[in-house]
Amino acid sequence: MKTILTDRPLSLDLGDREDLVCFDLSRMRIAPCVGCFGCWTRTPGSCVIRDDAVKVYPRLAESDTVLYVSRVRYGGYDLPVKIMLDRAIPVQQAFIRLLDGETHHVQRSVVPKRAVIVAYGARDREEEDLFRRLVARNAKNMSFAHYEIRFTGEEQVEAAVRQEVEAWKRS
Amino acid sequence: MEKILILNGSPRAPRSNSKRYGALFDRAWGGESETMDLLRADPGAVAERLETVSRVLLVFPLYADAVPVPVLRTFQALEERPPKNRPTLSVLVNCGFLEPEQCDVAVDMAALFCKQMGWPMGSVLEIGSGEAILDSPFRFLAAWKIKALARAVAADRPRRLKAAMPVSKAFFLKASTRYWLAYGARHGVTGEEMATMEIEGQRPS
């Protein structure tokens, strides 16, 4: 199972393979997390906000490969991807475990995954370095067994994504 | 003492720990202050207030290893319509994990915003175990560091401070489990239910 999360429309031919899905967040209705802890303590594993996010995070959890496409803002994801990743916390439990000597939330049934992040619009090396540090932290909390960041200009986003998808199709 | 603007960046601003941390800072500050909740505040109104102060304290919780959405939205709005004034931005961030260092990336995002806006970056306090410390016997440690933060902000002497419960990781795991079990029990949800491996009622095939 392979999933693309993108903050902008992409012209992709995914063919008819059911194991490839692309969520264009710019066309979805997803509200920001309200920090109610409902997905941990009231309806465990399900968000209390029943918008389009509830289609996305179960799919992310069961994917062995994910590709995120996001503009970089202040060394982090821009709003569309950021909002979705914040809303993905139902895939974790409230309970804390030790991972690599640090405290982190216990994951529910989340498949360890390979993540590729196509990150565009970073202003300089400093912003890229901060984004690298963010993704390294995400790896611990989002079950990235391996990850790769491809910094690119806005004009090269489609080509970078297409290259990855073609590799998926061949696999 | 000069007025300070306290910006609460929590997604649950009216009933947030950030509100409590902001109130503790306000008490330690002792001078005039104004608090705005970024969740509800109009960015234009925030920019307007920023014209009137030389010091700002941004208080927020760690969200997915980064700043939460109300903070990111405000940064973007301020970048689009920057105030003429360039106040010094200090940061008070808390996370539910024991290690305050897990907040480093979020703090550096705020620092990068300052750099891109040409604002001076001020002092920082990172609070680990921040979800529970205010209701624990170690509340005094958080309050003590918040006082140190207020002094550093007032003196325009940037410092990077950290606070957390002085307990072992093993103890923290047990204490946090008790904390969350009690949280679930308030809603009639058992520990077993909270520990379900299902997501939206399903397990991956």
Side-chain angles (χ1 to χ4, degrees), chain A residues 4 6 8 10-12 66-70 114 116-120 148-168 170:
Chain A
I4 301 171
T6 175
R8 50 189 286 153
L10 297 169
S11 305
L12 292 176
V66 295
L67 186 142
Y68 298 163
V69 180
S70 178
R114 172 176 176 262
V116 175
I117 295 105
V118 174
Y120 64 95
E148 191 182 325
I149 305 169
R150 297 190 189 154
F151 291 106
T152 182
E154 197 164 351
E155 315 74 43
Q156 288 82 42
V157 169
E158 290 262 353
V161 174
R162 209 167 291 132
Q163 187 182 16
E164 181 65 19
V165 170
E166 289 306 316
W168 287 2
R170 287 193 298 273

Side-chain angles (χ1 to χ4, degrees), chain A residues 57 74 82 101 103 123 126, chain B residues 63 79 99 115 169 200:
Chain A
Y57 60 76
Y74 318 110
K82 168 66 179 166
T103 53
R123 298 181 191 193
E126 182 183 9
Chain B
Y63 253 67
E79 190 179 334
E99 305 85 6
K115 187 176 176 187
K169 300 205 180 200
E200 286 293 322

Side-chain angles (χ1 to χ4, degrees), chain B residues 88-159:
Chain B
T88 301
L89 183 79
S90 294
V91 168
L92 196 172
V93 53
N94 81 91
C95 69
F97 305 121
L98 182 59
E99 305 85 6
E101 299 76 27
Q102 293 209 38
C103 302
D104 284 354
V105 167
V107 169
D108 290 345
M109 288 177 75
L112 187 57
F113 164 77
C114 284
K115 187 176 176 187
Q116 291 179 355
M117 294 288 286
W119 294 13
M121 180 71 183
S123 293
V124 173
L125 172 57
E126 297 173 324
I127 302 181
S129 53
E131 177 66 28
I133 193 170
L134 289 181
D135 298 312
S136 78
F138 303 114
R139 175 189 166 94
F140 74 95
L141 285 175
W144 181 52
K145 286 293 173 80
I146 287 170
K147 282 181 188 166
L149 175 70
R151 284 196 300 273
V153 172
D156 291 323
R157 197 181 60 242
R159 293 185 68 188

Side-chain angles (χ1 to χ4, degrees), chain B residues 183-200:
Chain B
Y183 208 118
R186 290 203 290 274
H187 304 302
V189 176
T190 66
E192 196 176 322
E193 289 167 329
M194 287 172 67
T196 180
M197 297 304 277
E198 293 184 351
I199 297 164
E200 286 293 322

Side-chain angles (χ1 to χ4, degrees), chain A:
Chain A
M1 195 82 80
K2 296 173 172 49
T3 301
I4 301 171
L5 274 191
T6 175
D7 66 355
R8 50 189 286 153
L10 297 169
S11 305
L12 292 176
D13 175 17
L14 297 180
D16 54 2
R17 285 181 55 169
E18 287 180 5
D19 62 331
L20 305 185
V21 169
C22 178
F23 292 109
D24 177 359
L25 299 173
S26 70
R27 293 178 178 172
M28 298 178 78
R29 189 178 52 88
I30 299 177
C33 175
V34 296
C36 68
F37 298 134
C39 60
W40 290 346
T41 63
R42 287 174 193 254
T43 55
S46 298
C47 182
V48 299
I49 305 172
R50 307 309 291 171
D51 61 11
D52 288 341
V54 303
K55 298 178 205 157
V56 180
Y57 60 76
R59 174 79 196 197
L60 289 178
E62 63 184 339
S63 295
D64 59 14
T65 306
V66 295
L67 186 142
Y68 298 163
V69 180
S70 178
R71 183 182 294 282
V72 178
R73 298 300 299 265
Y74 318 110
Y77 302 97
D78 201 357
L79 280 166
V81 172
K82 168 66 179 166
I83 289 172
M84 185 56 239
L85 295 182
D86 284 1
R87 286 288 305 283
I89 62 167
V91 309
Q92 301 177 338
Q93 298 177 10
F95 302 118
I96 305 281
R97 62 175 171 158
L98 279 185
L99 177 69
D100 300 334
E102 277 184 344
T103 53
H104 291 276
H105 287 286
V106 174
Q107 304 279 306
R108 302 191 198 275
S109 285
V110 179
V111 174
K113 53 193 90 269
R114 172 176 176 262
V116 175
I117 295 105
V118 174
Y120 64 95
R123 298 181 191 193
D124 52 26
R125 178 65 69 86
E126 182 183 9
E127 189 158 25
E128 289 182 359
D129 287 345
L130 184 52
F131 191 78
R132 279 191 194 92
R133 288 171 52 210
L134 171 64
V135 176
R137 293 227 62 84
N138 289 165
K140 293 175 187 285
N141 293 313
M142 298 177 186
S143 300
F144 296 170
H146 305 282
Y147 67 87
E148 191 182 325
I149 305 169
R150 297 190 189 154
F151 291 106
T152 182
E154 197 164 351
E155 315 74 43
Q156 288 82 42
V157 169
E158 290 262 353
V161 174
R162 209 167 291 132
Q163 187 182 16
E164 181 65 19
V165 170
E166 289 306 316
W168 287 2
K169 284 180 173 175
R170 287 193 298 273
S171 65

